[in-house]
Amino acid sequence: MHFDTPDTRNLPLKAEQKIRLVRFLELIGDYLRDGHAQQHGAYTGMDDPVPVLPVAETLPRADSLEVLEAEVRECQACPLGRNRIKAVPGEGVLRPLVLVIGEGPGAEEDASGRPFVGRAGQLLDRMLDAVGLSREQNCFIANVVKCRPPNNRDPQPEEIAACAPFLARQLAILKPRMILCAGRVAAQTLLHTSEGIGRLRGQVTEYQDLPLLATYHPSAILRDESLKRPAWEDLKALRARLAVLDAGYARDQGEA
Ligand code: URA
């Protein structure tokens, strides 16, 4: 949206009020014309394959997981909404130690409305458990896109962009201490890069002042057993950083 800004400083009050009214109507007009796409960051940078997540401060103030989940379940901002059985907003605790971010729901998640409940999810739960983490106690599990891409294909940049405000809002509401990206799509999206997961994994970097670690997606580990060892190294790096961030966790893990 763009306004030519007339100088209203020397105008009599009524004229200035009219200009303000016109501006307001323009604003409403833009909203009605562009609707969700404008609010929810329509993807326009087709030459840039990795969309940027909006910054949490630019998003609604009075927000809650309940409001967000209801919006996710209604959302039709991209074509994935048309073919889903259930949207998958995510699950876990408020103020988690770790926000785990996957790619998008698969068949079991689509059927149940819950994240990471298939084979990959069971492996993810075991990986988290190995370092004292779980969705019941100290994690929240979400995905980059909240509806299943057909045939488990990668989510498209415009689908990621349409869904990005939900993830940004989850970050703002949940206030995790750390982010764990499970797999390439989540890592590339948050780090805004097209670098491969082999290079992105294993080192703690930052996302909006939060420590972020990327590791292999559990589905990739199920396909290729040789990824188990580096994934375990990643989990140890996650545990070490969490022990620095949280004294209770460090005590429970015997790292105090
Ligand atoms: N894979 C993901 O990335 N997310 C899920 O929720 C399930 C499988």
Side-chain angles (χ1 to χ4, degrees):
M1 190 179 57
H2 162 79
F3 293 125
D4 290 326
T5 318
D7 187 351
T8 60
R9 277 170 302 185
N10 298 321
L11 290 175
L13 197 56
K14 275 206 173 139
E16 189 188 329
Q17 278 170 339
K18 263 190 204 158
I19 287 171
R20 287 194 195 288
L21 179 64
V22 168
R23 279 190 194 159
F24 178 65
L25 291 174
E26 277 177 348
L27 186 71
I28 299 287
D30 280 350
Y31 180 84
L32 292 178
R33 194 177 53 248
D34 300 332
H36 180 94
Q38 196 182 49
Q39 268 203 322
H40 284 230
Y43 182 73
T44 50
M46 298 308 283
D47 47 344
D48 180 355
V50 187
V52 185
L53 289 190
V55 179
E57 286 81 60
T58 65
L59 297 163
R61 289 242 163 259
D63 206 358
S64 72
L65 277 186
E66 290 72 23
V67 169
L68 183 140
E69 286 177 12
E71 287 180 34
V72 168
R73 295 193 199 285
E74 292 289 304
C75 181
Q76 291 292 338
C78 82
L80 298 183
R82 282 201 286 281
N83 298 319
R84 71 180 170 230
I85 300 172
K86 288 189 176 168
V88 183
E91 70 182 24
V93 302
L94 264 175
R95 306 284 165 124
L97 272 179
V98 182
L99 173 60
V100 181
I101 304 176
E103 175 178 325
E108 284 96 339
E109 292 78 19
D110 185 47
S112 66
R114 298 180 55 212
F116 277 104
V117 290
R119 270 186 79 219
Q122 287 158 23
L123 176 56
L124 177 68
D125 283 342
R126 289 205 301 279
M127 289 163 69
L128 295 174
D129 183 60
V131 289
L133 299 170
S134 72
R135 62 181 95 190
E136 289 80 23
Q137 292 199 334
N138 48 17
C139 291
F140 192 97
I141 307 205
N143 280 301
V144 168
V145 294
K146 315 299 190 204
C147 299
R148 184 188 182 200
N151 305 316
N152 297 343
R153 65 153 168 76
D154 281 359
Q156 302 293 298
E158 49 274 42
E159 294 158 358
I160 294 176
C163 219
F166 289 133
L167 188 55
R169 284 168 62 191
Q170 285 177 318
L171 266 166
I173 296 166
L174 293 165
K175 300 192 175 27
R177 307 290 296 280
M178 190 160 175
I179 297 171
L180 177 67
C181 288
R184 173 180 53 83
V185 171
Q188 289 181 339
T189 301
L190 272 87
L191 296 173
H192 193 54
T193 175
S194 48
E195 197 75 72
I197 186 66
R199 281 182 172 274
L200 296 174
R201 58 155 284 269
Q203 42 200 330
V204 178
T205 53
E206 272 200 356
Y207 178 75
Q208 292 181 9
D209 296 332
L210 278 178
L212 177 154
L213 182 80
T215 190
Y216 291 110
H217 194 285
S219 307
I221 303 173
L222 286 171
R223 283 193 303 269
D224 179 354
E225 287 243 322
S226 74
L227 302 180
K228 261 189 189 168
R229 181 175 288 272
W232 174 236
E233 295 302 321
D234 299 342
L235 289 171
K236 286 195 292 186
L238 177 71
R239 178 170 63 189
R241 175 56 74 99
L242 287 174
V244 173
L245 292 173
D246 190 279
Y249 175 82
R251 243 190 337 272
D252 291 348
Q253 288 296 299
E255 299 222 359

